[in-house]
Structure formats: C-alpha cells, structure tokens
Amino acid sequence: MSVVEQYARAHILTDADLPGQDDGGAIPVVLRYDPDRDPRSVCVALPARGRAPGSREWSFPRDLLEQGLRAPAGTGEVRVWPCGRVQAVVEFHSAQGCSVVQFETKPLIRFLRRTYTAAAQPVAH
C-alpha cells in the first residue's frame, strides 16, 4: 500500500505558536497516512514553535478526524470540531502545552478520501 502525504495550510489560533513572519498566522502542515505503519491512524505535522527547527507530530485515529468534521470529537491529546460550514479546528495537547489550529475542511476531506483509496488498493504479491 502507498503512503499518502498531503500539504495544507492552517491558521494558528494559540498565541504561543504564532510564526515569526507576518502572514496572518498561516503555517504549512503535512498530513500523512501510512497504511503499512498503522492503517487506522493519520499523522499531522506542525512546524516547531517559534523559530525552532523541525516539526511536531501527532498520530491519531483517522476516524477521529472524520467524525470531528461533523461534530466535536476526541478526549485525549487530539480534539477536532467543526467551525462553521467550511472550517474545522484541531486542538493538539502535549507536555509542552496546547496548540489550536484551524483548517479549511476541503483539504481535510480530500486527504481522507485519498487515505481510503490507498487503504483499498490490493497488496501486490
């Protein structure tokens, strides 16, 4: 099965995570699905806080992301809920604090569709 990786833009809603540049809080985010690693999980990678190099990653159930686009979902490190008709908010919790990020729902839906397509592909022998 193939890995699905999609790049998206999101807006940071937490002050501590705002990027240094004046771009309205928009950040590049990597959405990743690796069915060989865990067919039920997706990964979201956010840039490191401030000007630190690297990224911060959260893996969580794919169905949590899907459910959160329709109604509030999640109770642990990741929570997702709709924000109006075309946006969704994802809240990431870690030992370093909480990051709240707002996405357009279209890229998230497109990513989810691609993950289901990748998971449905037969394995070559």
Side-chain angles (χ1 to χ4, degrees):
M1 289 188 254
S2 61
V3 174
V4 174
E5 190 168 277
Q6 181 174 312
Y7 296 87
R9 305 260 321 146
H11 291 275
I12 295 288
L13 301 180
T14 43
D15 291 341
D17 290 324
L18 286 174
Q21 63 271 23
D22 184 26
D23 60 0
I27 58 166
V29 176
V30 179
L31 307 169
R32 189 175 305 112
Y33 173 70
D34 185 348
D36 293 330
R37 189 170 180 199
D38 184 351
R40 290 183 221 99
S41 292
V42 294
C43 178
V44 175
L46 303 177
R49 286 189 163 149
R51 298 189 187 278
S55 64
R56 299 170 292 150
E57 292 191 3
W58 283 268
S59 290
F60 55 96
R62 178 173 55 172
D63 62 346
L64 171 64
L65 180 59
E66 186 174 7
Q67 291 168 7
L69 295 179
R70 292 186 302 264
T75 57
E77 291 183 349
V78 180
R79 298 175 183 142
V80 184
W81 64 90
C83 181
R85 298 176 82 182
V86 297
Q87 296 177 326
V89 174
V90 183
E91 185 176 280
F92 301 100
H93 293 266
S94 71
Q96 291 77 35
C98 175
S99 296
V100 182
V101 183
Q102 187 173 42
F103 289 88
E104 297 291 323
T105 55
K106 280 186 180 182
L108 297 177
I109 291 168
R110 188 176 322 116
F111 171 70
L112 285 169
R113 283 186 185 144
R114 291 180 64 208
T115 68
Y116 286 112
T117 300
Q121 292 176 354
V123 177
H125 294 283

